[in-house]
Amino acid sequence: MLMRTDPFRELDRLAQQLTGVTGTWSRPSAMPMDAYREGEEYVIALDLPGVAKDAIDIDVERNMLTVRAERRPAAKADDVQMELSERPLGVFSRQLVLADTLDTERITADYEAGVLILRIPIAERAKPRKIAIGGEPEHKQISG
């Protein structure tokens, strides 16, 4: 039901880990994600630890779901000297092509403990249904 849009995303992620370069608005970093079906909906869980809720942008255009987030540096006093900085800062983004069988009009989003959970219902038209076999058509008798 979901298709990855960038086959080179893993290579970009590996290069960012090796070079320490973080995402920018023109070239955002990837965010880790799980996607699975749960009953009558698809669930997408994106890891965004340390990202403020108001720094997350989610939009859908046709069947393209885009999630962008920015982890900003924490405000530090002038007398603070950074000794170690391993937590990536910058812009993170993920784009997914959603199948036509998903109802993009009813997507819900929750954000708790650094995990963004998107729930996308399966469209009614895509759900399996039984087709009744009709009997013989009824013929009206004309009396005359």
Side-chain angles (χ1 to χ4, degrees):
M1 292 282 186
L2 302 173
M3 298 184 322
R4 292 179 184 245
T5 58
D6 187 354
F8 300 103
R9 183 69 88 173
E10 264 318 287
L11 290 174
D12 287 343
R13 185 188 61 76
L14 183 60
Q16 288 169 359
Q17 284 180 338
L18 293 173
T19 62
V21 175
T22 59
T24 64
W25 282 106
S26 62
R27 188 148 177 85
S29 298
M31 58 186 81
M33 174 186 95
D34 288 338
Y36 53 92
R37 183 172 176 166
E38 185 176 74
E40 296 297 316
E41 61 188 7
Y42 268 87
V43 179
I44 299 170
L46 298 142
D47 283 349
L48 295 170
V51 175
K53 187 176 179 178
D54 64 347
I56 300 172
D57 182 43
I58 307 164
D59 65 59
V60 175
E61 185 175 336
R62 295 189 183 173
N63 286 2
M64 179 69 72
L65 172 71
T66 304
V67 178
R68 291 178 84 82
E70 183 176 11
R71 183 180 305 137
R72 301 173 183 125
K76 296 191 178 21
D78 291 337
D79 63 343
V80 172
Q81 180 178 343
M82 184 62 78
E83 295 292 328
L84 179 66
S85 180
E86 293 181 342
R87 298 172 55 218
L89 300 174
V91 180
F92 302 86
S93 178
R94 197 69 185 244
Q95 284 190 313
L96 299 166
V97 176
L98 304 177
D100 291 333
T101 57
L102 299 177
D103 187 350
T104 59
E105 298 294 320
R106 298 188 310 138
I107 296 174
T108 61
D110 293 303
Y111 186 60
E112 187 176 332
V115 179
L116 176 66
I117 303 287
L118 302 174
R119 294 185 176 277
I120 310 167
I122 295 173
E124 288 297 321
R125 69 182 179 280
K127 293 179 183 174
R129 60 190 180 283
K130 293 281 186 190
I131 306 296
I133 300 172
E136 293 293 320
E138 295 182 10
H139 296 284
K140 293 186 180 180
Q141 301 228 345
I142 301 175
S143 55

